[in-house]
Amino acid sequence: MAIKAVRGVHDILPADAPRWQRVEAVAREVFEAYGYKEIRPPIFERTELFARGIGEVTDIVQKEMYTFEDRTGESLTLRPEATASVLRAYVEHGLHVQPKPVRLYTIGPMFRYERPQAGRYRQFHQLNLEALGEVHPALDAEVIAVLMELFGRLGLADRLTLSLNSIGDGACRPAYRENLVAYLRQNAGELCGECRARTERNPLRVLDCKQPGCQPTLEKAPSILDWLCQGCAQHFSRVRDYLDAMDLAYRVTPRLVRGFDYYVRTTFELLTGELGAQNAVAGGGRYDGLVQLLEGPPDPGIGFAVGMERVVLLLPAAPAEAVPLALLIPLGEAALVRLLSVARGVRSRGLAVELGYGARKLRNELDRANRLKVPYVVIVGDGELQKGEALIRDMGSGAQRPVPLDRLEEALMAMKSGEPR
Ligand SMILES: [Zn+2]
Ligand SMILES: [Zn+2]
């Protein structure tokens, strides 16, 4: 039996690659217009980085990491998210001495051992953006603006809803948390098993539960927004003012808590109604204190991650793949030798052509040309070689014209910029 790909991973095939390339190209363009620079951390790190950076009690660290020992017995983990790695690099390379905010982005695969289901993979891909060293609420609004600009340029903004929340900070969240736990314990009978387990382990995440039976109870749960301290309430209201000033629409969603321990104050998600339960296409928030937790300077930060698989699913099918301009058909070895150098010449000037190898019959090569959908073929047999010319055939009309062999390269280049088929 042939070896197959591992469960829960997927190949991005040539027919799908243009959509991925488009997302990446648009992301780079938008991020760089806002001053973000690319960073490419490795895809594995010491396990303790994620345990510390994401939080020991999160589902990710407890259940979903690909952790292994290398040959020296050191515990390593394939990154389940990018922020911890980016911040580790930020501290390790002293990037914090640069003018603040330091703006970084990265694009690449992440790894989580989750139950495979539609649209969820064990190796998945994210765009990640982080802005470090600035607490001003205008930065929160600006980071959200980057996200909306990205989806606007991809033509998807109208199909997404921005959810916005503040989850408070060390000053106000503990009291809210206590109040929430008391409420959840009181109503434990109305909640699912996962909710009851999370009540003790990570109570804010209970608010994330999607079970229909839990909704009436969770809708009546105390709201974090009623518990924000003055600093957090003010920060949140200014973020909203700045979003309003930029005409960015959002829905305040007090139950939006996100899956990471490290978030404080602003959190946000971009949601779609088109992908079933996998409705978050992007999410992020502020994580003041995380850099310090990783033994860096007391630099605040805010960022987001975009799930690329989900974005690609929302994009229309890629336009037809690019087709080479012509198939060069040498009939025999001498013609092949001549056309090899013509092909090399035009390819080095950026023109895509296909080349036969001289061994097949003309009929077979024309059949190949049809399957490649090339607009032209160039035929060179012994007769043409003797006359020093090549025949260019328009595959649409069937019309043929001879071109001197020593001007073939220029003729092909002219056809590239010239007449459509
Ligand atoms: Zn539940
Ligand atoms: Zn607060």
Side-chain angles (χ1 to χ4, degrees):
M1 273 254 281
I3 297 169
K4 295 207 168 126
V6 172
R7 186 169 142 86
V9 305
H10 68 119
D11 296 303
I12 297 165
L13 297 171
D16 297 324
R19 279 194 286 182
W20 286 81
Q21 290 166 350
R22 179 160 169 242
V23 174
E24 290 169 9
V26 172
R28 285 176 200 285
E29 215 176 284
V30 172
F31 295 170
E32 287 175 18
Y34 279 82
Y36 289 81
K37 304 270 186 276
E38 186 174 13
I39 182 169
R40 300 190 192 190
I43 60 170
F44 62 94
E45 300 271 1
R46 291 172 210 277
T47 302
E48 58 185 293
L49 174 70
F50 301 116
R52 209 191 293 179
I54 298 173
E56 295 274 8
V57 299
T58 55
D59 283 355
I60 295 177
V61 170
Q62 291 197 337
K63 300 190 261 184
E64 296 171 358
M65 294 207 305
Y66 274 96
T67 296
F68 58 97
E69 281 186 4
D70 73 1
R71 286 165 194 275
T72 66
E74 181 165 26
S75 181
L76 303 176
T77 293
L78 299 182
R79 63 180 183 193
E81 55 104 58
T83 302
S85 298
V86 171
L87 299 201
R88 195 251 328 125
Y90 175 79
V91 173
E92 184 170 340
H93 301 287
L95 302 183
H96 55 271
V97 303
Q98 296 176 5
K100 308 276 176 65
V102 176
R103 303 175 190 272
L104 301 168
Y105 76 90
T106 193
I107 301 176
M110 310 292 152
F111 304 85
R112 289 186 204 171
Y113 193 84
E114 293 187 278
R115 188 160 357 115
Q117 45 183 290
R120 180 177 283 194
Y121 297 99
R122 289 177 174 175
Q123 176 179 329
F124 57 100
H125 300 78
Q126 286 186 343
L127 309 167
N128 278 266
L129 178 137
E130 321 287 351
L132 299 158
E134 177 59 63
V135 284
H136 200 286
L139 179 62
D140 304 35
E142 192 193 90
V143 163
I144 292 171
V146 179
L147 184 64
M148 299 316 290
E149 176 70 22
L150 168 65
F151 282 93
R153 293 243 201 128
L154 288 170
L156 297 173
D158 297 345
R159 292 155 66 188
L160 300 166
T161 315
L162 176 64
S163 280
L164 182 70
N165 192 24
S166 171
I167 56 163
D169 61 4
C172 53
R173 195 160 55 205
Y176 167 69
R177 193 187 177 102
E178 228 170 85
N179 189 270
L180 176 67
V181 170
Y183 172 85
L184 295 173
R185 284 190 186 142
Q186 249 163 40
N187 295 280
E190 314 294 320
L191 294 171
C192 71
E194 184 63 29
C195 278
R196 288 200 299 270
R198 278 182 169 163
T199 297
E200 307 307 323
R201 208 174 64 226
N202 196 354
L204 263 60
R205 285 304 302 279
V206 174
L207 299 173
D208 256 358
C209 180
K210 304 278 191 289
Q211 295 286 335
C214 298
Q215 299 315 307
T217 310
L218 296 182
E219 271 155 31
K220 280 179 261 155
S223 162
I224 178 71
L225 296 180
D226 298 330
W227 289 78
L228 295 182
C229 64
Q230 208 193 349
C232 287
Q234 223 169 56
H235 187 95
F236 190 48
S237 115
R238 292 179 71 189
V239 171
R240 295 176 58 176
D241 288 346
Y242 298 133
L243 289 173
D244 294 341
M246 289 187 283
D247 278 326
L248 292 169
Y250 55 86
R251 184 183 298 158
V252 174
T253 312
R255 279 173 57 185
L256 170 60
V257 293
R258 308 279 305 143
F260 301 111
D261 274 6
Y262 51 61
Y263 282 123
V264 294
R265 296 191 166 172
T266 311
T267 56
F268 53 93
E269 270 182 359
L270 257 188
L271 305 171
T272 168
E274 298 173 39
L275 300 177
Q278 305 299 310
N279 61 352
V281 175
R286 187 166 266 289
Y287 47 78
D288 305 349
L290 183 57
V291 178
Q292 208 165 12
L293 194 68
L294 300 174
E295 281 159 40
D299 287 355
I302 178 166
F304 62 70
V306 176
M308 294 180 72
E309 273 79 2
R310 294 176 197 175
V311 179
V312 166
L313 276 177
L314 291 174
L315 286 178
E321 283 170 70
V323 169
L325 178 77
L327 170 62
L328 311 186
I329 306 176
L331 301 170
E333 189 63 21
L336 171 62
V337 168
R338 193 67 208 265
L339 287 184
L340 271 173
S341 98
V342 173
R344 180 165 185 269
V346 295
R347 284 165 169 167
S348 75
R349 294 164 73 180
L351 175 63
V353 295
E354 263 294 335
L355 178 64
Y357 298 106
R360 270 187 280 202
K361 291 201 171 77
L362 179 59
R363 180 166 45 82
N364 294 345
E365 288 291 6
L366 289 175
D367 185 48
R368 183 167 162 234
N370 278 321
R371 291 177 48 203
L372 288 168
K373 300 192 175 75
V374 292
Y376 301 98
V377 296
V378 175
I379 303 165
V380 180
D382 291 338
E384 285 77 24
L385 270 183
Q386 263 168 22
K387 284 188 271 179
E389 55 185 40
L391 280 179
I392 297 180
R393 181 187 295 185
D394 182 321
M395 292 297 283
S397 67
Q400 288 193 162
R401 63 184 168 99
V403 169
L405 259 176
D406 54 12
R407 272 192 267 144
L408 179 56
E409 186 176 323
E410 288 314 318
L412 288 166
M413 293 310 298
M415 283 153 61
K416 179 196 182 188
S417 45
E419 66 265 58
R421 183 177 175 174

